[in-house]
Amino acid sequence: MPAAALAGLVAAGHMQTAAQPLSPSGPAQATQAQVQALNSGTLLAGTMVLAQASGTTSANVRGVSSATCMNCHGSTPKYPVLGAKLTYEHSAHKLNGNATYANGGGCQQCHTNEGFIEWTQKGKIDPATFVANPSQPGCMTCHAPHETGTMALRTTKAVTLVNKEEFDGGKGNLCASCHQSRSDAKAAVKDLPAKDVTARLGAHHGPQADMMVGTNAYQFPGKTYGSSDHYSSVDNTCVSCHMNLPKGRYGLSPEIGGHSMNLAGEVHEVETLNTSACVSCHKDMKQAPGTANWSKFSDAGVQWVGPTAVFAVTASEDYDRDGKKEYVQDEVQGLMDLLVNPQGTGAMQTKLAMYDAKGTYIGAKAAAPYTAAQVGALFNYRYVLEDRSRGIHNLTYTVQLLTDSIAALDPAFDTSARPK
């Protein structure tokens, strides 16, 4: 493109930042405007194009192609940006599409790249504002290389959960910034008219941090509840398991590990679990075929998928009281099925009609009010449902919550296998 044409673009405002080259000392000493331009991608491309058009070889322009930039963008980068992007393409961060509608009302803090960056910078989000052009969480959501010159995480500070308990799990703190309950169970669970027990009552889509600590579900009076070794003993918590490199390689498949964050994916048309983080503690960890359909949250209620592969860890007790000790995740699914199942015989379908036989939530249409124990059972069921690990994050707490919730609706249920 001729230099005169480029100058016209700059004058028209299309490439204003391109006329502001970085200082030779690199991004760490750039102005805020330059940093913002780098994050949008306009400064780097624009400056280099202008330099080519004008024949400029000044130190300022050479600074754009400094060693710091080459850490990511060089032929032999220090940080595997392209490899990370390959696995990111298979992540829910990339694929779930929530940024397009969850870009205001405070939801943008976790559902958009722009909102999360604002939260890390200001410590809060204004729920009255919205992100005009939201984008999915991506590289620059968790990392700030153009500000820091490294791929350090934006934040690893301990996270205060909504019930004021603390999650402090190393690098996993960044994950916990979003993967936590939006409701304080102590405030949400009480005697309520049915119309207030809506499909949105509960943890809201991601109580993994709460689950690992063992907090913020409805804890029935007089009962004791336990925390998880995965929280207390695994360095960097979420990151160590969900991003671990299978068999010491970057990945068995781009669907598993790395920046996909997935523990399961397809390898040569076979469902495969990433057990590479597990074996550091569980030496013989393998995967096995699951025996039960897996309950999955849906906006209308519950749907079922599977059976899926499970981690081959046999439960110490027959938690669901079906006469056999199964793999942990199948035992937890058995407990969940005692509340809501595809046959329509769960306690929340018969003892208390909160779901119909198809798993659609109908509880808000009931005539009678609900007691705190009944609301608490619903809260706990959704809490476990939306944790999605079926006991892996915190088996003790999961089984305690489900056992107590079933017993609250069906006092005849045998609770003798409940962990103490």
Side-chain angles (χ1 to χ4, degrees), residues 351-371:
K351 305 289 184 182
L352 188 68
M354 287 184 161
Y355 291 87
D356 67 16
K358 296 181 179 180
T360 302
Y361 181 70
I362 58 173
K365 300 177 181 178
Y370 293 118
T371 66

Side-chain angles (χ1 to χ4, degrees), residues 8-75:
L9 287 174
V10 172
H14 297 299
M15 294 179 64
Q16 290 175 348
T17 56
Q20 302 173 1
L22 287 176
S23 67
S25 55
Q29 296 186 23
T31 67
Q32 184 62 34
Q34 289 167 338
V35 168
Q36 291 172 348
L38 267 174
N39 281 330
S40 69
T42 58
L43 177 58
L44 183 59
T47 302
M48 293 180 73
V49 170
L50 281 174
Q52 292 170 359
S54 63
T56 301
T57 57
S58 70
N60 281 348
V61 173
R62 287 196 300 273
V64 174
S65 299
S66 68
T68 300
C69 300
M70 295 305 101
N71 283 337
C72 293
H73 300 287
S75 300

Side-chain angles (χ1 to χ4, degrees), residues 14-310:
H14 297 299
M15 294 179 64
Q16 290 175 348
T17 56
Q20 302 173 1
L22 287 176
S23 67
S25 55
Q29 296 186 23
T31 67
Q32 184 62 34
Q34 289 167 338
V35 168
Q36 291 172 348
L38 267 174
N39 281 330
S40 69
T42 58
L43 177 58
L44 183 59
T47 302
M48 293 180 73
V49 170
L50 281 174
Q52 292 170 359
S54 63
T56 301
T57 57
S58 70
N60 281 348
V61 173
R62 287 196 300 273
V64 174
S65 299
S66 68
T68 300
C69 300
M70 295 305 101
N71 283 337
C72 293
H73 300 287
S75 300
T76 55
K78 177 180 179 180
Y79 304 110
V81 174
L82 293 179
K85 184 176 184 294
L86 180 65
T87 55
Y88 163 76
E89 295 291 333
H90 295 272
S91 70
H93 293 150
K94 165 75 173 184
L95 298 174
N96 67 17
N98 290 345
T100 57
Y101 67 85
N103 65 328
C107 301
Q108 68 266 39
Q109 174 181 326
C110 289
H111 289 287
T112 73
N113 165 65
E114 296 78 12
F116 187 78
I117 292 174
E118 180 184 352
W119 175 75
T120 61
Q121 292 173 343
K122 298 180 180 179
K124 60 182 180 180
I125 287 288
D126 182 356
T129 64
F130 66 94
V131 180
N133 296 292
S135 60
Q136 287 295 120
C139 305
M140 303 306 173
T141 311
C142 298
H143 305 278
H146 298 142
E147 289 97 326
T148 65
T150 73
M151 292 301 288
L153 297 176
R154 283 190 180 272
T155 178
T156 56
K157 294 189 297 186
V159 176
T160 301
L161 304 174
V162 71
N163 69 342
K164 308 306 179 185
E165 292 284 337
E166 183 179 79
F167 181 98
D168 192 1
K171 292 180 180 178
N173 290 342
L174 185 140
C175 310
S177 298
C178 286
H179 290 272
Q180 59 170 288
S181 176
R182 295 291 172 266
S183 298
D184 183 344
K186 291 179 180 178
V189 176
K190 53 191 173 183
D191 295 348
L192 287 172
K195 67 179 180 62
D196 292 339
V197 186
T198 68
R200 296 188 66 84
L201 185 144
H204 182 59
H205 300 340
Q208 289 85 6
D210 308 71
M211 176 64 86
M212 290 190 71
V213 174
T215 189
N216 202 23
Y218 179 67
Q219 300 184 2
F220 287 84
K223 301 291 185 179
T224 58
Y225 294 89
S227 60
S228 168
D229 287 340
H230 288 158
Y231 173 65
S232 60
S233 301
V234 177
D235 291 341
N236 296 315
T237 51
C238 323
V239 169
S240 293
C241 295
H242 284 268
M243 298 186 71
N244 203 64
L245 309 184
K247 297 182 185 284
R249 295 160 55 189
Y250 196 77
L252 297 169
S253 156
E255 297 179 9
I256 307 173
H259 285 75
S260 76
M261 315 290 177
N262 297 323
L263 283 175
E266 189 175 285
V267 178
H268 300 306
E269 301 181 359
V270 176
E271 184 184 19
T272 302
L273 300 183
N274 183 4
T275 61
S276 56
C278 312
V279 296
S280 60
C281 296
H282 308 279
K283 301 299 183 184
D284 299 321
M285 177 64 73
K286 294 179 174 61
Q287 72 177 65
T291 59
N293 288 328
W294 177 14
S295 301
K296 184 179 179 182
F297 173 85
S298 75
D299 288 338
V302 183
Q303 59 184 0
W304 287 269
V305 296
T308 63
V310 298

